[in-house]
Amino acid sequence: MGAQLRVDGVRHYRGGHEVLHVDSLDIHDGEQVCVLGPNGAGKTTLLRLLAAAERPHTGRVSVDGTDIEHGGIALRRRAAYATQRPGLLSTSVARNVTLPLAWRKVPRKRRRDLADDALRLLGVAHLADRQAAGLSGGEQQRVNLARALAIDPDVLLLDEPAASLDAESRLSFLHDLGRALTGRTTTVVHVSHRADDALRLADRAIALVDGNVWQDDTADAVIRRPADANVAALVGYDNLLDAHVRTDGEVTVRGEHTGLPWHGEPGPVVVAAFATGVCVGSSASAGVPARVERVVPGPGYRTVVLEGNPPLLASIPLRAPAPSAGQHVRISFDPDLSRVLPRSVATHRGPAPAPAPSPRVPAHAATASGT
Amino acid sequence: MYDTVIEVLARSALVSVSATLVAALAGISLGTALALARVSDSRAVIALVNTGMALPTVVVGLVVAMLLWRSGPLGGLGLIYTIPGMVIAQALIVTPLVTGITMAALRQLPRSLPDQLRTLGANRLQMVLRLWLEARVALLAAAMAGFGLAISEVGAVTVVGGNIHGHTQVMTTAIVENVSRGEFGVAIIYGSILLGLAFLINGLLASVQRRAAAWERN
C-alpha cells in the first residue's frame, strides 16, 4: 500500500533564510518520484518535512489527508526514511533491521524473518550477525535500505543513498534498489543531485532550485526538455553557452548562427548542449569560431576542450581525426542533443517555452555530469 | 575494632553507592534533556555544568546542612546527621559530574541520530533508551567517576553527617578523625580498606562496561 503526499503553501526557513518555498506539490499513491537539485536546493529539507522530522514554518504537509503535525507516531510509522549517511546503530546488522520492527510491535519470530528477507533482497543476508560498525560504506547503505524496506512502509523516503559510493558500488546498489522496489506499491520519494538516478528509479522528476520547484515532469521530459539553464545544468548538459535570439528568430552564439530552433521572445538565452552534441569542424566550415585548448582521451571517445570561460566540451569518436591544441576550428550544434533555453524561469515562473521535440538522448551523455 | 571497621566500611559503601545511583538517575536524565534540547551547545550551559563539576564539597555540605538543620527550611524532615542526609549531599556533588559527562557523551553521537531514530518509528522513550544504549560505555564511565568522587569525598559528609560513631561515621571521616588524634596506623588501615573498596566497585563497573560494549552483538 502507498500513500498520497501533499505539500501545500509550505515556507521553511533556516538561519533566517528561506530554504524551501513550495506552493503546491502532490505525490500520488504508489508514485516513484525523484527530486533533483544541486546542493543547498532544499531537497533534504523537503524530505525531512515529508518524514515529519521537521514541521514547516508555514503551510501544511499531509499524508493521505492527515496533517503530519497531527498524525503523531502512527503517521510517522507509515514512512521509512533512509538518510544519506546510513547511521547504523552500534549493534549487529540483524538488530539494526529488527529494531524498527520491534518498535512497531511486530512479533519476535516474524521480525527476524522480515529482516532476513530484506537483507537477502539487498544481497547482504550473510552479514546479519556482523557488527554494523565493521561494514564497508556500500554494505552499510544496503543495510540502511534493508532496514527501511523491512517495515514495508507506505512511503519510502531516500536521501541520496548512493551519494557516497564509488562508481561501481553505486551502479550495483542502484540496480538492487530498483529491483527491490519492483512490484511494490510503496510511494517513493528519492532525492538526488544526479540525473541518471532519476532515469533509473523514477516515473516523475521534480527539479528543485533555490528551494523552489523549477520543473515537475516525467523523468525523461526533465532530461530531454529542461525548463531553463538551471535545470539543464542539473540534468547533466555539459555545455551552457550564453546566446542571443535576434528579432528574426535566429539563435546566435558569439554572433554566429547556430541553426537551433527557438519559439520564444527575442533576447538573451542559453544554448545547452551535451558534449556529444557539439560537432567540431575545420576553420573553413560554417559554425561558431573556437580554439582548441587541449584534447583529452576518454573511453571510446576523445573530449575536445575548447577555449572559453567555462571551457566548451565536445566529444568526438576515437576513429575521427582529432584537432590539435591551439588549432582554430568551428563548432556546430546537433539539434537533437542541444537545446535553446531561457536563462532562468525564475523571472517568468510558469510553463517554459515550448521546446522542440527531441528524439533521443544518449544515456552516457545524460549521465556524464554530476552537476 | 574489626566490627567497627566492617560497620564503617558498609556505611561508606551504602552512602556512596546510594548517592551514585541517585546522581546517575538525575544526572543522566538532566544531561540527556540538555543534549536533546540542543542547549548543550550553549557556552553558558557548558560553563554552568563545568562549574557544578568543580563544586567545593564542603560548601555543598554547608548548604545542605543549613537546609536540613532543625531550624532550616527542611528541618522538619529530620535528616541532619543521618545517612539519607549524607546521601543527599553526596548526590548533589556527583550529579553535575554525571550531567556533564552524559551531555558530552550524547553530543559525541551523530547529530542526526535522534531524528533518525524518530523517523525509524521510535517514540520519545524508545529514542532516549536507544541513545543511552549507543552511549552506554560513556554513561558507565560517568557512573564510575561519580562513585569515585562520592567514596573519596570527606567535606560534605562531615558537615552533614557529623561523623557520629556507630551512626554516620564513614571511611573518609574516620581517617580524618584518626589522623587528628595522631593514630596514623589506624588511619592507614582505614585508607587501605577504602582503596580496596574503591578498586572493587570500580572493577565491578569496568566489568559491566566491558560487557555493555559487547552487548547486543547478536
Side-chain angles (χ1 to χ4, degrees), chain A residues 48 51 53 73 76-77 79-81 83 85-87 89-92 95 99-100 103-104 129 131 144 147, chain B residues 38 110 112-113 115-124 126-127 130 133-136 213-218:
Chain A
R48 287 175 58 77
I73 194 158
R76 268 199 284 124
R77 284 182 175 168
Y81 179 23
T83 48
R85 289 180 186 162
L89 303 169
S90 57
T91 181
S92 70
R95 181 78 177 135
L99 199 60
W103 288 336
R104 286 165 175 79
D129 295 323
Q131 282 292 291
N144 187 28
R147 181 168 64 174
Chain B
R38 299 271 166 89
S112 59
L113 190 58
D115 269 356
Q116 190 167 25
L117 293 172
R118 272 195 289 265
T119 58
L120 284 170
N123 61 30
R124 197 159 180 81
Q126 288 164 338
M127 179 194 72
R130 190 64 232 181
L133 276 173
E134 291 296 304
R136 56 192 178 264
W215 193 56
E216 281 202 321
R217 284 232 164 122
N218 295 305

Side-chain angles (χ1 to χ4, degrees), chain A:
Chain A
M1 199 176 103
Q4 166 103 16
L5 307 174
R6 187 174 177 80
V7 179
D8 216 6
V10 162
R11 308 274 186 283
H12 200 68
Y13 304 87
R14 196 154 288 138
H17 297 284
E18 188 180 75
V19 291
L20 195 68
H21 179 153
V22 179
D23 289 328
S24 177
L25 178 65
D26 280 299
I27 296 170
H28 305 294
D29 195 339
E31 203 170 18
Q32 296 195 354
V33 175
C34 180
V35 179
L36 286 167
N39 290 334
K43 306 184 298 291
T44 297
T45 302
L46 175 63
L47 216 55
R48 287 175 58 77
L49 294 180
L50 292 172
E54 281 186 67
R55 292 175 180 176
H57 288 110
T58 61
R60 184 171 182 265
V61 178
S62 61
V63 178
D64 284 340
T66 306
D67 196 316
I68 56 159
E69 286 197 38
H70 307 122
I73 194 158
L75 197 68
R76 268 199 284 124
R77 284 182 175 168
R78 293 183 60 192
Y81 179 23
T83 48
Q84 192 172 347
R85 289 180 186 162
L88 298 181
L89 303 169
S90 57
T91 181
S92 70
V93 165
R95 181 78 177 135
N96 264 283
V97 182
T98 56
L99 199 60
L101 295 165
W103 288 336
R104 286 165 175 79
K105 300 197 185 319
V106 174
R108 186 179 292 269
K109 170 77 175 71
R110 177 104 181 101
R111 272 181 233 163
R112 187 62 201 237
D113 291 345
L114 289 170
D116 286 344
D117 289 347
L119 289 168
R120 198 172 303 117
L121 199 59
L122 272 300
V124 283
H126 60 288
L127 303 174
D129 295 323
R130 290 260 301 273
Q131 282 292 291
L135 305 183
S136 69
E139 289 169 339
Q140 288 199 14
Q141 274 300 6
R142 284 171 184 273
V143 174
N144 187 28
L145 192 60
R147 181 168 64 174
L149 289 174
I151 61 173
D152 193 18
D154 295 338
V155 181
L156 179 61
L157 305 168
L158 304 169
D159 190 356
E160 306 211 43
S164 59
L165 305 183
D166 59 60
E168 196 178 336
S169 311
R170 193 173 156 278
L171 283 177
S172 153
F173 175 81
L174 288 171
H175 174 264
D176 287 350
L177 171 59
R179 199 183 52 186
L181 294 176
T182 304
R184 286 180 188 253
T185 53
T186 310
T187 304
V188 181
V189 182
H190 178 200
V191 153
S192 177
H193 67 279
R194 298 187 60 126
D196 45 347
D197 290 2
L199 267 183
R200 192 178 290 269
L201 295 170
D203 314 319
R204 174 181 163 197
I206 295 167
L208 205 61
V209 179
D210 293 337
N212 293 271
V213 174
W214 230 246
Q215 191 171 4
D216 182 355
D217 210 327
T218 64
D220 189 56
V222 170
I223 289 167
R224 286 169 182 264
R225 299 188 293 277
D228 69 2
N230 290 293
V231 181
L234 198 60
V235 298
Y237 279 80
D238 303 295
N239 301 295
L240 297 171
L241 291 115
D242 285 333
H244 193 81
V245 180
R246 294 194 325 205
T247 49
D248 60 4
E250 285 286 348
V251 179
T252 61
V253 171
R254 298 173 190 170
E256 298 288 336
H257 296 294
T258 59
L260 294 171
W262 170 250
H263 306 285
E265 297 293 315
V269 289
V270 168
V271 168
F274 291 110
T276 46
V278 177
C279 310
V280 180
S282 72
S283 58
S285 60
V288 178
R291 190 163 177 264
V292 176
E293 188 179 298
R294 62 185 190 279
V295 179
V296 182
Y301 60 90
R302 291 190 187 93
T303 299
V304 180
V305 182
L306 299 151
E307 286 179 355
N309 188 23
L312 188 69
L313 305 178
S315 290
I316 58 171
L318 282 176
R319 65 175 181 278
S324 51
Q327 185 179 335
H328 288 274
V329 294
R330 286 197 176 250
I331 55 167
S332 57
F333 300 94
D334 179 343
D336 289 343
L337 297 169
S338 310
R339 297 282 170 272
V340 182
L341 305 168
R343 286 184 172 173
S344 170
V345 291
T347 52
H348 56 93
R349 300 298 297 279
S358 52
R360 66 188 179 88
V361 175
H364 87 270
T367 62
S369 168
T371 310

Side-chain angles (χ1 to χ4, degrees), chain B residues 41-74:
Chain B
D41 293 342
S42 149
R43 285 184 185 176
V45 171
I46 292 171
L48 202 66
V49 172
N50 287 347
T51 305
M53 289 162 79
L55 278 180
T57 59
V58 178
V59 175
V60 175
L62 177 65
V63 172
V64 173
M66 285 166 64
L67 290 171
L68 299 181
W69 203 257
R70 284 187 186 83
S71 56
L74 302 174

